[in-house]
Amino acid sequence: MSLSSLFLSLRRLWALDSFAYSLRVFIAFTGVVLVCWWFTALHSLIPLFLGIIASALSETDDHWQGRWRALLVTLGCFAVAALSVEVLFNRPLWFVVGLAVSTFGLTMLGAVNQRYATIARATLILATYTMISLENRATPALENIWREPALLVAGAAWYGVISVVWCRLFSRQPLKHSLARVFRELSRYLQLKSTLFEPRRDLDVEQHRYELAHQNGRVVAALNQTKEMIFRRLQESRSRKLNRYLWLYFIAQDIHERASSTHYPYHELSEAFFHHDVLFRAQRLLTQQGETCRELGRSLLLNRAFAQGRSEMALEDFNASVEHLGAQSRHEWQSLLPHLRALADNLTTLQDLLGRARHPEGPDSHEDASLYDRTPHGLSDVRERVLDHLTPRSAIFRHAVRLTLTLVAGYGLLHWIHPTQGYWILLTSLFVCQPSFGATRRLLRQRILGTIIGLLAGWALITLFPAALVQIGVAVMAGVAFFALRGRRYMLATGFITLMVLCCFNQVGNGFGLIWPRLFDTLMGAGIAGLAVLLILPDWQGRQLHQQAAATLEASRAYLEAILDQYRHGKRDDLTYRLARRNAHNADAELSTLIGNVLQEPERFRRDADEGLRFLLHSHTLLNYLSALGAHRGERTQDYAGPVAQAAESIEGSLAELATGLRDQGPVDEQDPRLHDALAALDAEPQHDAPNLLHTQLTLIGQQLVPLRHAARAIGQPNAAGA
């Protein structure tokens, strides 16, 4: 292999999302093994490994200074949790009180933001690891009270230092990965969008729109993650390189708005131009632009330039096809040609955005480059956010109560039946019990299957390779594999962490004796978590469907208001507009996620799933029409007056009324007479030349409210499932 090939292979390995994470864990595990082997202290291996795992699970993205501060907070929480378990371990009554209070309090901290939630969950995990380590030690807790907490916190601190140093050396790499993910998801969205332009008579437009709505959720999640990463780094410092990444994020937002735009019902275009190549040209262009997005993401990770020649050629072909249609002067096409030209303008601008992404220099000084700050400021903000969720209506509160009772029930069970290694029951329940039924059921199955796979593999390996050094090496690699796979292949990740546990415990005792207890405890812990989600304040997503549908419509109304304000006063890519656009897409993504969760619930609780899917279809189509309106703001001179202004106000009012009706589960009328009259007046307004884009999009939006009302009536009734 040549040196250049080797360098490219290493660069591709470095570009993998989980490689850096896995490498940090490998360094931490290997360092601990070398120290324990050198000092012949293999009995300390388990708590040190468990501390590393808890610290790695608590890791959040940040600038290195922010990560250092987070590490100090995390180690403080870990020390308090480990010492509390040590002190109360042989006092069951006080222990269960502390377990309940700490579980509820730490889970409620998730209301503050994701960073707090991650640290709080890792603290609960480390507390459970402390129980397992103490049980394995089989000595009174007050003898050498410092030993177990010190080892656990030392392991956590060791990984934390590696993480901070790594972040200092490679601070931009996580941001590159996040931006690359944005462009990968945009690529998938564009390629899915291209299927709508295929001129087929049997094309299932609804199914393709459902898939687009789900993919839109993935794009939104990637954009939100990238925004938070950039914002945290901007809080610490500002550089030319960081400005370039910020500008790339803004470009990705604009690409998303244009990619999600719909200028006309696709089935009507397909019928009109069935025997012409223009839609094939549009499909090919979108596919090539999707490939360009993917190549852009790859070039970010590999630090190389990217070419967009194929998409540029596809754009030229598509524009030539549109011009050819216009030159034929066929009467039946004249009313549709303006919509094709609007589509061509939109895709031309999208291509320009891809070209600008090749050399992003950062926003100009006169442009609004601010980002919305969602982080808490001071203890008052933390307290306010937690208090806002101290109600049974909050999903976080219900999960906190459910998880607390789950762990208390597991603790009571292990004291009742006194199983060997019984604290694995609590650990399994902690990992399996999730806020939603669908997520819990999915993890329950994967956890059990993964544990069985890991136990079988562990039994075979410690039988075939009795040498301690080999087993420790297997434990290290299995621990690394757990972190490499836990975000994508949870069942395999569970198998690897089980294998690691068996190999580690075999160094201080009989690993074979752990096999049946681990399997039994996993089944018990998973069963308790499953029953808790079913019986304790069950959070059936179908009950929230009307509320999330209302929030989606309200966010769309606010987005329309922000768009129309720019048609009145001129285009501005300011924070107010970008926030309204992002909120609309966030609400659409949350609705898609909620409906996906409803479909995983028991049949008696998902009777509204079909109606929810229909509502998602129409609400996402509405968002597509709004995106087209937003994409073209400032590109054309528009007269926002007369019937156009009246139609816009009527649409806003109708959306607000519909959102209120859904939220309150009140009656939803079949039609809105005011909107009907406004659309009729808009339709009667003479069009002198080409149809006005604002006029056309408002008409499409108004027409979309009719099926949206029908779908809202179906999910907004008080006797719906779970009400």
Side-chain angles (χ1 to χ4, degrees):
M1 179 184 290
S2 66
L3 188 61
S4 59
S5 299
L6 178 62
F7 180 78
L8 182 59
S9 298
L10 292 175
R11 173 68 70 178
R12 288 174 175 168
L13 186 63
W14 181 251
L16 295 175
D17 289 348
S18 59
F19 176 75
Y21 191 25
S22 304
L23 185 57
R24 291 195 299 273
V25 172
F26 175 76
I27 293 171
F29 280 154
T30 304
V32 164
V33 167
L34 291 176
V35 170
C36 290
W37 190 272
W38 180 263
F39 290 101
T40 61
L42 291 180
H43 57 279
S44 299
L45 198 63
I46 293 174
L48 287 170
F49 268 29
L50 295 177
I52 290 170
I53 293 170
S55 184
L57 292 175
S58 73
E59 188 176 56
T60 57
D61 176 78
D62 212 332
H63 188 270
W64 75 271
Q65 293 168 324
R67 186 169 292 187
W68 174 251
R69 291 192 293 268
L71 174 63
L72 294 178
V73 172
T74 302
L75 293 179
C77 292
F78 283 5
V80 171
L83 281 171
S84 299
V85 170
E86 178 89 21
V87 170
L88 301 176
F89 190 72
N90 288 331
R91 295 173 172 82
L93 183 59
W94 286 106
F95 188 95
V96 76
V97 171
L99 178 65
V101 171
S102 60
T103 301
F104 181 81
L106 288 169
T107 307
M108 286 302 301
L109 278 179
V112 181
N113 63 16
Q114 187 57 44
R115 180 186 298 181
Y116 281 75
T118 302
I119 294 175
R121 182 171 175 79
T123 302
L124 286 175
I125 292 171
L126 182 119
T128 312
Y129 285 164
T130 308
M131 302 173 203
I132 293 170
S133 188
L134 288 174
E135 184 182 39
N136 184 67
R137 196 176 72 187
T139 57
L142 291 179
E143 292 183 7
N144 299 326
I145 191 173
W146 55 269
R147 183 181 179 277
E148 229 65 35
L151 288 172
L152 286 162
V153 174
W158 165 233
Y159 178 82
V161 170
I162 293 173
S163 175
V164 172
V165 172
W166 191 282
C167 188
R168 183 68 179 90
L169 295 175
F170 308 106
S171 60
R172 293 194 296 267
Q173 190 68 10
L175 189 51
K176 286 183 179 181
H177 279 293
S178 188
L179 277 168
R181 180 191 168 205
V182 168
F183 285 105
R184 282 199 305 270
E185 299 299 347
L186 282 171
S187 170
R188 296 189 185 107
Y189 189 91
L190 284 165
Q191 290 176 344
L192 273 174
K193 187 71 175 283
S194 71
T195 60
L196 290 173
F197 287 88
E198 187 173 357
R200 287 171 45 194
R201 299 193 189 279
D202 61 341
L203 183 66
D204 190 346
V205 176
E206 288 193 359
Q207 180 60 36
H208 284 289
R209 283 203 172 276
Y210 288 140
E211 293 172 2
L212 270 175
H214 293 313
Q215 180 58 29
N216 186 63
R218 299 185 185 97
V219 175
V220 169
L223 283 168
N224 288 340
Q225 180 191 46
T226 302
K227 178 259 176 184
E228 292 300 324
M229 294 177 74
I230 294 174
F231 182 82
R232 285 193 287 267
R233 284 159 176 77
L234 288 174
Q235 287 181 309
E236 301 292 343
S237 63
R238 194 157 196 143
S239 63
R240 183 179 178 184
K241 193 75 173 178
L242 191 54
N243 278 341
R244 293 185 67 190
Y245 292 143
L246 176 62
W247 194 234
L248 269 176
Y249 167 73
F250 287 149
I251 289 174
Q253 278 194 317
D254 289 341
I255 290 174
H256 183 215
E257 183 172 56
R258 293 190 174 273
S260 60
S261 298
T262 296
H263 296 81
Y264 204 73
Y266 295 117
H267 65 278
E268 295 187 24
L269 292 177
S270 179
E271 290 176 3
F273 301 110
F274 188 80
H275 298 291
H276 197 275
D277 71 342
V278 67
L279 294 185
F280 282 113
R281 299 289 186 187
Q283 182 183 26
R284 180 173 178 271
L285 173 57
L286 281 166
T287 301
Q288 292 300 327
Q289 287 178 334
E291 285 298 323
T292 301
C293 278
R294 185 180 297 276
E295 181 60 28
L296 174 56
R298 191 179 295 115
S299 69
L300 274 171
L301 294 175
L302 299 178
N303 287 330
R304 68 184 187 191
F306 82 103
Q308 52 174 343
R310 289 187 177 181
S311 57
E312 288 176 340
M313 293 172 57
L315 177 63
E316 292 177 6
D317 293 342
F318 175 62
N319 284 329
S321 184
V322 173
E323 291 305 316
H324 176 70
L325 280 173
Q328 295 186 36
S329 301
R330 291 179 57 171
H331 175 73
E332 64 271 22
W333 290 347
Q334 294 309 304
S335 61
L336 295 176
L337 283 174
H339 307 298
L340 279 179
R341 292 194 176 102
L343 173 64
D345 290 345
N346 187 51
L347 295 180
T348 299
T349 306
L350 197 158
Q351 187 69 27
D352 291 341
L353 289 168
L354 290 172
R356 289 164 57 191
R358 300 175 68 179
H359 305 289
E361 296 300 330
D364 297 332
S365 58
H366 66 276
E367 295 187 61
D368 183 359
S370 56
L371 297 172
Y372 185 68
D373 186 2
R374 300 181 186 273
T375 57
H377 297 280
L379 290 177
S380 60
D381 277 1
V382 172
R383 183 174 62 254
E384 182 179 350
R385 294 189 185 191
V386 172
L387 290 176
D388 286 344
H389 284 270
L390 278 176
T391 169
R393 293 190 299 272
S394 167
I396 294 175
F397 176 85
R398 292 195 295 272
H399 179 57
V401 172
R402 192 182 307 124
L403 184 60
T404 300
L405 294 177
T406 298
L407 296 185
V408 168
Y411 185 73
L413 180 66
L414 71 89
H415 274 274
W416 179 41
I417 61 177
H418 296 287
T420 305
Q421 301 292 341
Y423 286 93
W424 291 105
I425 295 175
L426 272 65
L427 186 68
T428 300
S429 295
L430 181 58
F431 276 104
V432 170
C433 188
Q434 298 294 310
S436 70
F437 174 84
T440 300
R441 186 177 70 174
R442 184 172 61 253
L443 285 188
L444 187 151
R445 179 177 57 85
Q446 293 180 352
R447 185 84 182 181
I448 292 174
L449 291 176
T451 299
I452 293 173
I453 292 171
L455 291 174
L456 290 174
W459 170 79
L461 283 170
I462 62 180
T463 301
L464 294 173
F465 304 101
L469 188 60
V470 173
Q471 292 180 14
I472 292 174
V474 170
V476 169
M477 298 313 298
V480 172
F482 166 75
F483 284 97
L485 296 171
R486 73 184 186 91
R488 297 175 291 111
R489 298 284 188 273
Y490 186 74
M491 184 177 71
L492 288 177
T494 301
F496 278 115
I497 200 66
T498 303
L499 173 60
M500 189 203 83
V501 167
L502 278 182
C503 291
C504 286
F505 272 74
N506 202 49
Q507 307 313 306
V508 295
N510 180 13
F512 293 101
L514 184 64
I515 293 176
W516 287 111
R518 178 67 192 266
L519 177 59
F520 175 78
D521 293 347
T522 297
L523 294 174
M524 295 300 295
I528 293 172
L531 287 174
V533 173
L534 278 170
L535 302 176
I536 303 172
L537 294 178
D539 195 13
W540 305 120
Q541 300 292 287
R543 295 175 177 175
Q544 314 300 324
L545 187 54
H546 68 283
Q547 295 181 2
Q548 186 56 50
T552 302
L553 292 181
E554 178 55 35
S556 294
R557 186 209 60 78
Y559 184 26
L560 174 61
E561 182 181 19
I563 293 170
L564 295 175
D565 181 70
Q566 302 224 348
Y567 273 96
R568 288 191 292 263
H569 303 109
K571 179 181 178 180
R572 304 178 311 281
D573 281 320
D574 55 8
L575 178 60
T576 301
Y577 176 78
R578 286 187 277 109
L579 184 60
R581 178 176 62 187
R582 187 55 38 209
N583 287 341
H585 281 282
N586 281 338
D588 181 78
E590 288 168 9
L591 178 62
S592 176
T593 300
L594 185 143
I595 292 173
N597 289 332
V598 170
L599 292 171
Q600 298 181 58
E601 293 178 348
E603 188 172 354
R604 62 186 292 258
F605 294 105
R606 51 182 167 95
R607 288 177 293 173
D608 284 342
D610 290 340
E611 287 77 8
L613 283 171
R614 277 191 286 274
F615 185 91
L616 175 64
L617 170 67
H618 298 306
S619 66
H620 187 71
T621 303
L622 172 69
L623 181 59
N624 294 155
Y625 290 145
L626 290 172
S627 295
L629 200 58
H632 290 281
R633 61 201 159 89
E635 294 182 10
R636 305 159 190 263
T637 57
Q638 306 288 354
D639 295 324
Y640 186 78
V644 169
Q646 292 174 9
E649 292 172 5
S650 297
I651 291 171
E652 281 194 67
S654 186
L655 282 170
E657 176 199 352
L658 193 52
T660 301
L662 274 169
R663 186 178 296 108
D664 300 337
Q665 290 190 289
V668 176
D669 295 332
E670 287 276 356
Q671 292 185 345
D672 183 347
R674 181 187 171 194
L675 176 61
H676 181 271
D677 295 342
L679 291 178
L682 184 64
D683 188 55
E685 186 183 27
Q687 298 290 306
H688 301 293
D689 299 312
N692 182 295
L693 185 131
L694 181 57
H695 176 288
T696 301
Q697 292 303 123
L698 286 176
T699 300
L700 291 172
I701 292 168
Q703 292 172 349
Q704 188 62 30
L705 290 182
V706 177
L708 203 53
R709 279 183 171 274
H710 289 296
R713 282 171 60 86
I715 67 173
Q717 301 304 315
N719 61 344

